[in-house]
Short mmCIF file of all heavy atoms in Angstrom, two decimals:
data_model
loop_
_atom_site.label_atom_id
_atom_site.label_comp_id
_atom_site.label_asym_id
_atom_site.label_seq_id
_atom_site.Cartn_x
_atom_site.Cartn_y
_atom_site.Cartn_z
N ALA A 805 10.07 -1.61 9.37
CA ALA A 805 10.97 -2.53 10.06
C ALA A 805 11.36 -1.90 11.38
O ALA A 805 11.75 -0.73 11.42
CB ALA A 805 12.20 -2.80 9.22
N ASP A 806 11.22 -2.65 12.45
CA ASP A 806 11.59 -2.17 13.78
C ASP A 806 12.98 -2.70 14.11
O ASP A 806 13.15 -3.89 14.38
CB ASP A 806 10.57 -2.64 14.81
CG ASP A 806 10.79 -2.06 16.19
OD1 ASP A 806 11.96 -1.81 16.56
OD2 ASP A 806 9.81 -1.84 16.90
N GLY A 807 13.96 -1.82 14.07
CA GLY A 807 15.34 -2.23 14.32
C GLY A 807 15.58 -2.68 15.75
O GLY A 807 16.48 -3.47 16.01
N ASP A 808 14.77 -2.21 16.71
CA ASP A 808 14.95 -2.60 18.10
C ASP A 808 14.51 -4.04 18.37
O ASP A 808 15.14 -4.76 19.13
CB ASP A 808 14.18 -1.66 19.04
CG ASP A 808 14.75 -0.24 19.02
OD1 ASP A 808 15.95 -0.08 18.71
OD2 ASP A 808 13.98 0.69 19.30
N THR A 809 13.39 -4.44 17.75
CA THR A 809 12.87 -5.78 17.99
C THR A 809 13.19 -6.77 16.87
O THR A 809 13.06 -7.97 17.07
CB THR A 809 11.33 -5.74 18.16
OG1 THR A 809 10.74 -5.28 16.93
CG2 THR A 809 10.93 -4.84 19.31
N GLY A 810 13.54 -6.26 15.69
CA GLY A 810 13.81 -7.16 14.57
C GLY A 810 12.55 -7.66 13.91
O GLY A 810 12.54 -8.73 13.31
N THR A 811 11.47 -6.88 13.98
CA THR A 811 10.18 -7.29 13.45
C THR A 811 9.80 -6.46 12.24
O THR A 811 10.04 -5.25 12.21
CB THR A 811 9.08 -7.13 14.53
OG1 THR A 811 9.48 -7.84 15.71
CG2 THR A 811 7.75 -7.67 14.06
N LEU A 812 9.20 -7.10 11.24
CA LEU A 812 8.64 -6.40 10.08
C LEU A 812 7.14 -6.27 10.29
O LEU A 812 6.47 -7.23 10.66
CB LEU A 812 8.93 -7.17 8.80
CG LEU A 812 10.40 -7.42 8.48
CD1 LEU A 812 10.53 -8.23 7.19
CD2 LEU A 812 11.17 -6.11 8.37
N PHE A 813 6.61 -5.06 10.05
CA PHE A 813 5.19 -4.79 10.23
C PHE A 813 4.56 -4.36 8.92
O PHE A 813 5.23 -3.79 8.06
CB PHE A 813 4.99 -3.65 11.25
CG PHE A 813 5.44 -4.00 12.63
CD1 PHE A 813 6.69 -3.61 13.09
CD2 PHE A 813 4.63 -4.73 13.48
CE1 PHE A 813 7.12 -3.92 14.37
CE2 PHE A 813 5.05 -5.06 14.76
CZ PHE A 813 6.30 -4.65 15.20
N ALA A 814 3.25 -4.61 8.80
CA ALA A 814 2.49 -4.18 7.63
C ALA A 814 1.11 -3.72 8.08
O ALA A 814 0.50 -4.31 8.97
CB ALA A 814 2.35 -5.32 6.63
N ARG A 815 0.66 -2.63 7.44
CA ARG A 815 -0.67 -2.08 7.74
C ARG A 815 -1.38 -1.73 6.43
O ARG A 815 -0.72 -1.40 5.46
CB ARG A 815 -0.59 -0.79 8.54
CG ARG A 815 0.27 -0.75 9.70
CD ARG A 815 0.35 0.68 10.24
NE ARG A 815 -0.95 1.25 10.46
CZ ARG A 815 -1.49 1.44 11.65
NH1 ARG A 815 -0.81 1.14 12.72
NH2 ARG A 815 -2.69 1.95 11.78
N ASN A 816 -2.70 -1.76 6.49
CA ASN A 816 -3.52 -1.29 5.38
C ASN A 816 -4.59 -0.38 5.97
O ASN A 816 -5.66 -0.85 6.36
CB ASN A 816 -4.14 -2.46 4.62
CG ASN A 816 -5.01 -2.00 3.46
OD1 ASN A 816 -5.24 -0.81 3.26
ND2 ASN A 816 -5.51 -2.94 2.70
N ASP A 817 -4.30 0.90 6.08
CA ASP A 817 -5.24 1.85 6.68
C ASP A 817 -6.46 2.12 5.80
O ASP A 817 -7.42 2.72 6.25
CB ASP A 817 -4.53 3.16 7.00
CG ASP A 817 -3.57 3.02 8.16
OD1 ASP A 817 -3.80 2.13 9.01
OD2 ASP A 817 -2.58 3.77 8.21
N TYR A 818 -6.43 1.68 4.53
CA TYR A 818 -7.56 1.89 3.64
C TYR A 818 -8.62 0.80 3.77
O TYR A 818 -9.70 0.92 3.21
CB TYR A 818 -7.09 1.99 2.19
CG TYR A 818 -6.38 3.29 1.93
CD1 TYR A 818 -5.01 3.40 2.09
CD2 TYR A 818 -7.09 4.42 1.55
CE1 TYR A 818 -4.36 4.60 1.87
CE2 TYR A 818 -6.45 5.63 1.33
CZ TYR A 818 -5.08 5.70 1.49
OH TYR A 818 -4.43 6.89 1.28
N ASN A 819 -8.33 -0.26 4.47
CA ASN A 819 -9.31 -1.31 4.70
C ASN A 819 -10.10 -0.94 5.94
O ASN A 819 -9.64 -1.08 7.06
CB ASN A 819 -8.59 -2.66 4.88
CG ASN A 819 -9.56 -3.82 4.97
OD1 ASN A 819 -10.69 -3.67 5.42
ND2 ASN A 819 -9.11 -4.97 4.53
#
Side-chain angles (χ1 to χ4, degrees):
D806 187 328
D808 294 334
T809 63
T811 306
L812 301 178
F813 295 98
R815 312 173 52 107
N816 180 355
D817 289 333
Y818 288 91
N819 187 330

